[in-house]
Amino acid sequence: MTEELITIDDLIKKVLSYNPDADVEILRRAYYFSSEAHCSQKRIEGSPYIGHPLAVASILADMKMDTATIAVGLLHDTVEDTGTTAEDISGLFGNDIAFLVEALTKLSRMEFRTKEEAQAENFRKMLLAMSEDVRVMLIKFADRLHNMRTLQHLPENKRQSIASETLDIYAPIANRLGIGWLKIEFEDLSFKFSMPELYKELVRKVTKRKEEQEGYIREVTEIIEKKLKEEGIPGEVSGRVKHYYGIYQKMQRERITFEQIHDVLGLRIITDTKANCYAILGMIHSLWTPIPGRFKDYIGVPKSNMYQSLHTTVIGPKGERVEFQIRTEEMHGIAEEGIASHWRYKEKGELAEKDGRYISWLREIIQAQKEVPDAKEFLEAVKGEVVPEVVYVFTPKGEIKELPMGSTPVDFAYSVHTQVGHRCVGAKVNGRIVPLRYQLRNGDTLEIITSPTHGPSRDWLKFVVTQRAKSRIKQWIKTEERKQSIELGTKLLEGELRRHNLGPSILKSEDMQAVVRAFSMQSFEDLLVSVGYGKVSAHQVVNKLMPEKPAEEIAPKIAKPSKEQKGISIKGIDNVLYHTAECCFPIPGDNLVGFVTRGKGVTIHRGDCKNLERLAVDDARLVDVEWKPGGETTSPARLVVETVDKPGILANLSALISSVNVNISHLEASSTQDKKAHIVFVLEVKDRGQLTNLTQKIAQMEGVLRVKR
Ligand code: MN
């Protein structure tokens, strides 16, 4: 398949068609410069590289962008891929263009360890770049769009990852910026490449439905056109097809088949004024019966991406459902082009005010980013709130508040003020008490009940949806946990000092400051927190305080709370104070269960530990535990080996164990009356895999009768 190749003359013609005064010279210069710079490069399918910048510039011209933006479309890959420097660009094309090229280069120069990290970082960087100049984003969109349109040239695995990134990052931003056509094209192209079979099937079905209903749609259109003429209302009627990914999402969301979707085909009526939109709505409702619950007034209450339109579904002439969208010319422009419409060449100067709402969204997101340091969490948060559905609720004073769909009274409370959120104990909706997890509905009037002694609960995180509420609650919990850790750390440390006959005054000594530095901590308080969390043991701290003590005297016993208690998380909570149970010696890879002790953190048991049955009496204290893989840390594991009692067997066993690089931290051997040896090892192993391996090797050794954990 060959793509349509665009020439610089085509591009210039396109630009002049909407901007007759365009600075054509700068476009030509940018073109020559770029083709020179890329002259030795080829696109993956073998065509000259310059075809890509030309196509990108052409997409920007379709969006009727200003000349600088289109020039940057031509130049966007020069600094990234060729020997060109930012100085070259600014010298030749001026600062405006150089700034944009540099911003784009920065965007593409990011490298990441994991895919999620990459996505989240990508998202952040784009938002930041965009907040400086929205055109950066628009050029990036055009770049990605051309890459998506030519994605078939890339190998399968690359296609998948680019398609999913487009779906996860680009489409939501395009949607949020109100560029409807772009969101749709991003989604459909991603869909096409990530689920080719499903996509083809859907295209086939939609085409078939279109053919079947063509006559019917024409009939409805004629009735409306006639009626519009009679009433003297201007209106352009056109057919529309829901986009493929939209159909797919609807099928998924509502668990229905294609055949059960009634609004695949619809009609759009574009008129001149808002008043006529409602007049046309009335006309349609008098012609056919509207379906209750399907009427949406996005003119009275626009979506947060500024989308405005009336939607209604009626039972048409043959008893079939027909969906209508009614809007003005101007609303249609906003629905299709969103923020891009403000970057039209001629309107450049008027940006500030018109973009108010898009920009305020951006500001919110960037604010949220500062509060959520974890990349993945941030991405989830932003994606979550990109969904444009909102509910409108009222404060007791009648002020309107916009919140994302699914918001609860807690979200509302935090949107009023952080302190209202923290102190919130209950809520009244329309005068009646509701649970805090109640989902707000349009038009609810909300009153928050607060108590000055109350604080947020971790459970709230399960139902709040706004980023603001989430980050404030987490912040509060973190501060609280730190306080508690300091208390616990202090207690543990004082206890350990007492055992060594040392008074608490040493805590404030210069020696202690040295210990703080030795653990690379910022402050003594941080050290206390680490002790409280169990990252550092009180024992280790005291050990450092008194290095002259003989090592074995204070050396930890076998079942020492394992060296660095990192790597365990309980229900997503990291760094919980824990120790591994001495009855079953759990290791990474085991099925694990945690038991919440009173005051000593969490004990980790193997899921099949006999003691758990006894502990399980108090179900509420058992928690799910996850042992994150990582690092070179080892954990103690016990192996009981039964052998024939014969000299040398212990030495052979030890040699075998060391040969696989496993340390023996403890060993006890005893002989039984029936001439057998019973040996208990405590080994430092990485994980279950390593232990299983070793167990098999031992079992095969001569003289070994039984091996078990
Ligand atoms: Mn590019």
Side-chain angles (χ1 to χ4, degrees):
M1 197 179 91
T2 53
E3 293 135 35
E4 172 200 3
L5 289 177
I6 299 143
T7 66
I8 180 67
D9 290 323
D10 297 337
L11 178 69
I12 286 173
K13 213 191 284 169
K14 198 182 270 183
V15 174
L16 287 175
S17 75
Y18 66 86
N19 181 7
D21 304 325
D23 182 355
V24 174
E25 226 16 70
I26 206 161
L27 294 181
R28 274 199 200 281
R29 282 202 293 124
Y31 168 73
Y32 289 126
F33 184 85
S34 180
S35 38
E36 190 69 22
H38 290 295
C39 69
S40 59
Q41 288 175 287
K42 295 231 182 294
R43 292 277 286 169
I44 190 155
E45 82 284 6
S47 64
Y49 193 85
I50 188 67
H52 167 65
L54 267 173
V56 171
S58 172
I59 291 168
L60 291 165
D62 288 335
M63 293 163 80
K64 301 191 171 60
M65 291 290 112
D66 64 331
T67 325
T69 308
I70 293 167
V72 176
L74 290 167
L75 297 167
H76 78 275
D77 279 332
T78 51
V79 175
E80 175 61 17
D81 296 346
T82 75
T84 309
T85 66
E87 289 73 47
D88 295 341
I89 301 280
S90 78
L92 286 163
F93 300 98
N95 289 336
D96 192 26
I97 288 179
F99 163 77
L100 291 171
V101 173
E102 222 189 321
L104 282 155
T105 308
K106 267 193 235 150
L107 265 182
S108 52
R109 277 205 183 144
M110 298 173 295
E111 275 178 39
F112 310 98
R113 277 163 288 161
T114 69
K115 194 175 146 237
E116 252 150 11
E117 204 179 27
Q119 282 204 345
E121 265 320 295
N122 228 337
F123 206 118
R124 278 187 208 221
K125 296 275 166 80
M126 271 195 232
L127 294 170
L128 282 174
M130 185 160 71
S131 67
E132 282 180 58
D133 190 326
V134 176
R135 290 178 298 173
V136 175
M137 196 66 231
L138 299 177
I139 299 160
K140 191 78 193 156
F141 278 159
D143 184 23
R144 175 54 62 108
L145 185 59
H146 183 243
N147 288 335
M148 284 299 292
R149 284 177 179 172
T150 54
L151 201 60
Q152 71 274 14
H153 300 306
L154 288 187
E156 174 64 24
N157 61 334
K158 280 212 155 176
R159 271 186 232 169
Q160 289 289 348
S161 73
I162 293 179
S164 74
E165 189 187 55
T166 303
L167 196 59
D168 288 346
I169 297 182
Y170 288 78
I173 304 183
N175 180 40
R176 201 57 200 235
L177 295 182
I179 315 173
W181 71 270
L182 191 58
K183 171 211 171 212
I184 286 174
E185 195 168 344
F186 275 149
E187 287 187 345
D188 276 351
L189 284 168
S190 305
F191 183 35
K192 175 178 162 186
F193 287 109
S194 54
M195 289 177 267
E197 293 307 316
L198 260 173
Y199 177 82
K200 259 184 247 158
E201 174 74 4
L202 215 50
V203 172
R204 194 182 59 75
K205 284 181 170 165
V206 170
T207 314
K208 190 163 157 250
R209 167 109 36 123
K210 255 200 286 195
E211 282 163 6
E212 284 166 3
Q213 298 201 337
E214 209 170 354
Y216 178 69
I217 292 290
R218 198 177 322 121
E219 187 184 327
V220 177
T221 307
E222 276 163 15
I223 297 174
I224 293 170
E225 281 173 342
K226 192 167 149 248
K227 191 84 179 165
L228 282 171
K229 208 172 270 171
E230 279 172 27
E231 310 261 334
I233 303 171
E236 196 70 45
V237 188
S238 57
R240 52 171 282 278
V241 182
K242 203 184 195 79
H243 75 298
Y244 299 114
Y245 188 68
I247 296 171
Y248 170 74
Q249 275 181 307
K250 184 164 184 156
M251 287 162 63
Q252 294 289 309
R253 195 173 52 231
E254 295 175 16
R255 296 161 194 271
I256 52 177
T257 64
F258 177 78
E259 287 65 34
Q260 290 167 295
I261 298 185
H262 299 289
D263 55 1
V264 172
L265 302 185
L267 287 171
R268 180 176 292 146
I269 306 173
I270 295 179
T271 185
D272 55 349
T273 61
K274 202 189 210 183
N276 274 338
C277 289
Y278 289 101
I280 292 170
L281 177 79
M283 193 189 91
I284 289 167
H285 283 183
S286 70
L287 279 170
W288 301 293
T289 311
I291 294 174
R294 294 298 306 264
F295 168 61
K296 298 218 176 78
D297 183 355
Y298 294 121
I299 292 181
V301 186
K303 287 192 184 185
S304 52
N305 64 1
M306 288 157 85
Y307 176 88
Q308 286 190 295
S309 195
L310 298 176
H311 292 187
T312 189
T313 306
V314 298
I315 303 189
K318 288 205 181 91
E320 296 244 19
R321 295 177 181 209
V322 191
E323 195 203 42
F324 287 94
Q325 296 182 345
I326 309 157
R327 52 177 81 150
T328 66
E329 191 84 50
E330 198 195 341
M331 292 171 192
H332 187 58
I334 291 173
E336 287 294 302
E337 295 170 57
I339 204 168
S341 64
H342 310 314
W343 273 101
R344 290 276 173 94
Y345 63 102
K346 59 184 176 192
E347 292 181 56
K348 210 170 134 186
E350 306 165 21
L351 179 77
E353 209 156 298
K354 282 198 168 184
D355 279 346
R357 282 194 71 179
Y358 296 120
I359 299 298
S360 80
W361 171 72
L362 264 179
R363 240 184 258 125
E364 264 170 49
I365 294 290
I366 288 162
Q367 185 58 33
Q369 180 215 320
K370 286 188 190 138
E371 290 168 4
V372 188
D374 180 270
K376 185 179 159 194
E377 204 176 285
F378 169 68
L379 187 62
E380 285 307 312
V382 175
K383 269 201 273 180
E385 272 186 49
V386 163
V387 178
E389 300 308 329
V390 291
V391 288
Y392 294 91
V393 296
F394 297 96
T395 68
K397 286 185 188 144
E399 280 168 61
I400 194 162
K401 283 239 169 220
E402 181 191 301
L403 290 164
M405 196 69 93
S407 288
T408 62
V410 177
D411 292 292
F412 174 85
Y414 277 101
S415 81
V416 173
H417 193 278
T418 303
Q419 285 309 316
V420 177
H422 284 348
R423 305 294 169 226
C424 159
V425 285
K428 278 186 187 171
V429 165
N430 308 326
R432 285 174 45 197
I433 300 254
V434 294
L436 286 177
R437 58 171 67 239
Y438 168 87
Q439 292 202 348
L440 300 175
R441 300 200 195 125
N442 266 323
D444 280 349
T445 297
L446 222 74
E447 194 185 326
I448 296 296
I449 306 161
T450 58
S451 150
T453 54
H454 200 264
S457 142
R458 190 181 285 282
D459 283 346
W460 293 2
L461 291 172
K462 290 183 197 146
F463 57 74
V464 296
V465 301
T466 52
Q467 190 44 46
R468 189 183 166 88
K470 276 184 200 163
S471 63
R472 296 297 196 284
I473 296 167
K474 283 185 190 161
Q475 191 59 47
W476 193 90
I477 292 174
K478 238 184 231 164
T479 316
E480 252 340 84
E481 282 179 348
R482 189 175 162 89
K483 261 195 250 164
Q484 287 168 5
S485 302
I486 290 174
E487 263 173 49
L488 182 59
T490 312
K491 257 189 226 154
L492 289 172
L493 208 50
E494 284 176 353
E496 189 69 20
L497 288 171
R498 265 198 304 280
R499 284 184 35 203
H500 292 84
N501 298 320
L502 293 167
S505 62
I506 199 166
L507 293 178
K508 298 203 171 67
S509 69
E510 193 43 47
D511 288 351
M512 187 51 90
Q513 284 307 314
V515 173
V516 168
R517 285 190 296 274
F519 281 103
S520 321
M521 302 275 176
Q522 299 290 328
S523 64
F524 177 56
E525 206 172 71
D526 284 353
L527 182 63
L528 288 176
V529 171
S530 297
V531 173
Y533 275 155
K535 282 195 222 171
V536 171
S537 67
H539 182 91
Q540 284 171 298
V541 175
V542 175
N543 204 2
K544 279 241 164 50
L545 266 179
M546 308 183 301
E548 71 279 7
K549 277 244 177 189
E552 59 269 38
E553 196 174 321
I554 46 174
K557 286 182 234 113
I558 335 159
K560 62 190 167 182
S562 45
K563 294 171 285 184
E564 284 203 349
Q565 297 172 323
K566 272 180 189 164
I568 277 210
S569 77
I570 292 169
K571 289 188 178 159
I573 309 156
D574 288 328
N575 289 327
V576 179
L577 177 67
Y578 78 92
H579 53 272
T580 48
E582 297 170 34
C583 45
C584 55
F585 287 101
I587 54 174
D590 283 336
N591 180 13
L592 302 172
V593 175
F595 178 74
V596 184
T597 66
R598 297 203 195 278
K600 281 194 294 181
V602 174
T603 316
I604 310 296
H605 291 265
R606 269 155 59 190
D608 55 3
C609 175
K610 293 237 160 51
N611 276 331
L612 272 182
E613 271 165 52
R614 187 173 52 80
L615 297 170
V617 175
D618 193 355
D619 239 10
R621 291 166 66 189
L622 295 181
V623 290
D624 285 332
V625 174
E626 201 190 313
W627 205 324
K628 289 187 225 149
E632 283 305 306
T633 54
T634 56
S635 316
R638 184 175 48 192
L639 268 194
V640 181
V641 185
E642 219 176 82
T643 66
V644 293
D645 194 7
K646 137 182 143 181
I649 198 147
L650 187 57
N652 289 345
L653 266 174
S654 305
L656 173 68
I657 293 169
S658 321
S659 77
V660 293
N661 287 323
V662 169
N663 282 331
I664 303 169
S665 59
H666 183 80
L667 178 163
E668 256 171 45
S670 56
S671 37
T672 58
Q673 287 173 333
D674 50 351
K675 294 268 177 200
K676 283 179 193 160
H678 188 82
I679 310 161
V680 179
F681 290 99
V682 176
L683 306 168
E684 287 295 324
V685 296
K686 276 211 288 275
D687 55 28
R688 197 186 165 102
Q690 191 184 31
L691 186 66
T692 310
N693 232 325
L694 182 60
T695 310
Q696 282 164 0
K697 285 204 168 112
I698 293 177
Q700 285 160 12
M701 241 182 79
E702 205 193 333
V704 170
L705 302 169
R706 248 152 63 98
V707 195
K708 60 170 198 196
R709 271 183 84 175

